[in-house]
Amino acid sequence: MLSPGDTDQFKQAKSEEVDEYETGKENINKKRKRPNNVKNGSRVSSEHDLCELLPSKRLNMEVDEETIEEENNKMAVSPGKTNFSAFTNNHLNDRSPLANSKTSGAKKLVIKNFKAKPKLPDNFKDTTWGKLREAVCAIQNKTSISSSLEDLYKAVENMCSHKMSSVLYNELKGECEQHVKSRLSQFTGESLDSYLYLTRLNHCWEDHCQQMIMIRSIFLYLDRTYVLQNPSIISIWDLGLQLFRIHIVDNSIVEERTIEGLLSLIEKERNGEAVDRTLLKSLLRMLADLQMYDTSFEKKFIKATEIIYAAEGDRLMQETDVPEYLEHVQRRLQEENDRLLHYLDHSTRKQLITCVEKQLLGKHSQSILQKGFEKLMDANRIEYLTLTYQLFMRIRKGLDDLCVAFSNYIKRCGLEIVVTVDPEKDRTMVQELLDFKEKLDNIITQAFVKHEKFVNSMK
């Protein structure tokens, strides 16, 4: 038992120790910033703070630190046998309450079907086509479109997505057909000059092409889905071509006046007059696009060409000499090639050039050789002999006829040199033969490019 004096002394020591603890606690709160564990203006003392103030706690911490240091030393001595089971069991397997709360509180996203299938408005088809029809009419009448192109394209896509592609295609076809039919009257009524008529037709064709391009851009989704999936359905562009051909160009009056106008312009150009080649090119391309070039134009064009050059060949053979005629033939061939380059279709080349060669060369080849070949040889006209060779290469058996004429000329001239009754010419005969041989060799080399047939005719 403690005496009363010892008891008072023990109470006083405890009181001083508590006062010291409270004083230290206040100093720590003043020096440190407010940490995270401060609540309502007062700080909850941590275990570390208590260790600094209470000797008993500080002693326990020192013992724990010594224990941890001993464990670390054991691990450092045998690194290969480190055991992480304690750390794993004590720390890794522990999950925070926050993580547990998140896991337990997570919700799954569930997608459910509509209770009722969405339905289109009752007037969806009529309203949508009405908007599209208004845009088509605006394009055809060259007025502004009230809706944006994006909205129109979306409207076409919506109708196609709801299985209205066939209805939309037929409606569009009917609208375009009605518009094309309305343009026919301007080409069958009043009689216009040939050039003005062709100009009006060309303007109508160009407007139609521009309109179909714009319409196709709006109905592009229809063109790339419904049309591609049905081989029997033609594209929107081909539909426009078909309608223009059936209702305008295929009309007997329009076709006749168009072909006659084109042939008239070409004939004027052949006679030396200046014509609008751009107009010719546009209309001939129109016929090619409508697949009417071969049947409607080309046959009549070749026939007209044959008639023109047949008459011209007969007339010039009587009026001009051979060099001038050969130059005219070469110029005509160049002109026709120029027409092929500028406005005629390339498929016409073979028939056209063959026709010109036949009418200007083939029919008159013998007349050309009989009338002027020997004169060209006597005068040693290398330039025209070269032209003769180049032109006769174009026609059937032309080189054969030219080679025969060349052989006959050699025989005739050779006999004139050899067979003579004048004794004085005997002295110069050898030299004349050598000069003649040199002349022939020069002609074969320069004019006939050493062709085998002409080389053999010398032997």
Side-chain angles (χ1 to χ4, degrees):
M1 294 293 293
L2 296 175
S3 62
D6 294 336
T7 302
D8 295 336
Q9 186 177 359
F10 176 77
K11 290 181 179 180
Q12 184 177 0
K14 283 293 185 179
S15 176
E16 291 176 357
E17 185 174 317
V18 171
D19 293 339
E20 182 181 358
Y21 167 75
E22 293 294 333
T23 304
K25 180 179 178 182
E26 292 176 359
N27 293 335
I28 290 173
N29 290 334
K30 290 180 181 179
K31 291 180 180 180
R32 293 184 179 181
K33 295 180 180 180
R34 181 179 178 180
N36 295 330
N37 54 0
V38 176
K39 296 182 181 179
N40 299 326
S42 61
R43 180 175 181 272
V44 179
S45 299
S46 65
E47 186 174 325
H48 180 71
D49 297 334
L50 296 175
C51 290
E52 291 181 352
L53 298 175
L54 298 177
S56 59
K57 284 288 185 180
R58 189 183 305 117
L59 180 61
N60 293 334
M61 287 294 295
E62 289 176 357
V63 173
D64 293 337
E65 289 176 358
E66 291 177 359
T67 304
I68 293 172
E69 185 176 358
E70 289 177 1
E71 293 293 331
N72 290 335
N73 291 335
K74 292 179 181 179
M75 293 173 64
V77 171
S78 55
K81 299 181 180 180
T82 305
N83 186 7
F84 294 93
S85 60
F87 178 81
T88 303
N89 294 331
N90 295 333
H91 298 281
L92 294 181
N93 292 334
D94 293 337
R95 301 189 63 170
S96 65
L98 181 61
N100 293 330
S101 63
K102 286 185 177 181
T103 303
S104 60
K107 296 182 179 179
K108 294 182 179 180
L109 180 62
V110 179
I111 300 176
K112 297 182 179 179
N113 295 328
F114 289 110
K115 294 182 179 179
K117 185 178 180 180
K119 293 183 179 180
L120 292 174
D122 295 336
N123 60 344
F124 171 76
K125 183 181 72 173
D126 296 336
T127 303
T128 307
W129 166 242
K131 181 169 66 172
L132 293 172
R133 180 180 179 277
E134 181 182 353
V136 172
C137 293
I139 293 173
Q140 294 171 342
N141 298 325
K142 297 182 180 181
T143 58
S144 60
I145 304 175
S146 58
S147 303
S148 66
L149 295 179
E150 183 179 359
D151 292 340
L152 296 173
Y153 184 91
K154 197 67 178 178
V156 173
E157 184 178 357
N158 291 335
M159 290 193 69
C160 293
S161 300
H162 291 89
K163 299 180 180 181
M164 300 180 186
S165 302
S166 177
V167 176
L168 181 61
Y169 184 88
N170 292 331
E171 292 286 355
L172 176 62
K173 179 180 178 180
E175 192 65 31
C176 293
E177 187 173 13
Q178 181 180 357
H179 174 73
V180 173
K181 285 181 178 179
S182 66
R183 307 295 298 273
L184 177 62
S185 59
Q186 59 181 321
F187 302 109
T188 57
E190 55 181 322
S191 59
L192 296 173
D193 175 70
S194 176
Y195 179 77
L196 294 178
Y197 185 86
L198 294 179
T199 302
R200 177 180 291 184
L201 179 62
N202 185 56
H203 287 163
C204 180
W205 164 249
E206 290 179 346
D207 290 344
H208 178 74
C209 290
Q210 293 176 359
Q211 292 166 8
M212 292 308 301
I213 290 174
M214 292 188 65
I215 291 173
R216 182 182 180 274
S217 65
I218 295 174
F219 291 84
L220 187 60
Y221 189 86
L222 175 68
D223 211 23
R224 291 182 174 178
T225 54
Y226 175 70
V227 174
L228 290 179
Q229 295 169 2
N230 296 273
S232 60
I233 304 297
I234 60 176
S235 66
I236 295 176
W237 173 255
D238 291 338
L239 173 64
L241 297 181
Q242 184 185 73
L243 294 176
F244 195 85
R245 172 179 175 171
I246 293 175
H247 298 293
I248 294 184
V249 185
D250 242 359
N251 182 277
S252 58
I253 299 176
V254 177
E255 181 180 356
E256 182 180 358
R257 295 188 65 179
T258 301
I259 302 303
E260 289 179 355
L262 292 172
L263 295 177
S264 176
L265 286 180
I266 296 174
E267 183 178 0
K268 288 180 180 180
E269 187 183 38
R270 284 171 172 167
N271 293 331
E273 299 182 30
V275 298
D276 188 353
R277 284 189 164 187
T278 304
L279 177 62
L280 282 169
K281 180 178 180 180
S282 178
L283 290 176
L284 290 175
R285 291 293 180 273
M286 176 195 73
L287 293 177
D289 292 339
L290 299 179
Q291 298 181 359
M292 299 177 64
Y293 183 88
D294 299 341
T295 57
S296 300
F297 172 77
E298 189 177 57
K299 293 181 179 180
K300 295 181 180 179
F301 171 69
I302 297 299
K303 184 64 177 179
T305 302
E306 183 178 351
I307 295 173
I308 291 173
Y309 286 128
E312 185 177 272
D314 294 338
R315 177 175 56 84
L316 291 179
M317 280 301 299
Q318 300 295 328
E319 297 177 357
T320 62
D321 57 7
V322 171
E324 184 178 353
Y325 184 82
L326 293 175
E327 288 180 340
H328 177 78
V329 173
Q330 184 186 34
R331 183 170 60 254
R332 282 303 197 188
L333 288 171
Q334 181 61 42
E335 289 175 357
E336 297 304 328
N337 278 295
D338 196 45
R339 292 185 182 94
L340 286 165
L341 181 64
H342 283 87
Y343 54 81
L344 292 174
D345 192 80
H346 63 87
S347 62
T348 312
R349 174 181 295 276
K350 184 177 180 180
Q351 298 184 62
L352 177 60
I353 300 302
T354 302
C355 178
V356 177
E357 292 170 349
K358 178 181 178 181
Q359 298 302 323
L360 296 181
L361 285 174
K363 292 176 60 176
H364 306 285
S365 60
Q366 294 297 328
S367 299
I368 293 171
L369 294 175
Q370 294 173 3
K371 183 178 179 180
F373 181 72
E374 291 188 355
K375 292 180 181 179
L376 296 177
M377 291 292 295
D378 291 336
N380 199 24
R381 305 286 295 273
I382 301 295
E383 177 184 356
Y384 290 104
L385 287 171
T386 303
L387 181 58
T388 304
Y389 173 80
Q390 293 174 350
L391 292 176
F392 273 65
M393 283 183 64
R394 292 175 169 269
I395 60 176
R396 184 172 177 267
K397 295 184 178 181
L399 287 183
D400 293 337
D401 295 339
L402 183 60
C403 186
V404 171
F406 182 68
S407 299
N408 293 335
Y409 176 79
I410 294 174
K411 293 176 182 179
R412 182 182 66 79
C413 293
L415 289 175
E416 289 179 357
I417 296 173
V418 175
V419 180
T420 178
V421 294
D422 191 354
E424 295 182 358
K425 286 190 176 181
D426 292 342
R427 302 173 185 177
T428 61
M429 182 179 62
V430 176
Q431 186 62 43
E432 288 180 2
L433 288 174
L434 292 175
D435 293 341
F436 183 62
K437 175 66 166 56
E438 182 181 0
K439 173 185 175 180
L440 294 177
D441 289 339
N442 185 47
I443 291 174
I444 291 174
T445 302
Q446 296 186 26
F448 303 150
V449 294
K450 294 183 180 181
H451 195 281
E452 183 180 359
K453 290 184 178 181
F454 297 95
V455 174
N456 293 334
S457 64
M458 288 280 292
K459 298 178 181 180

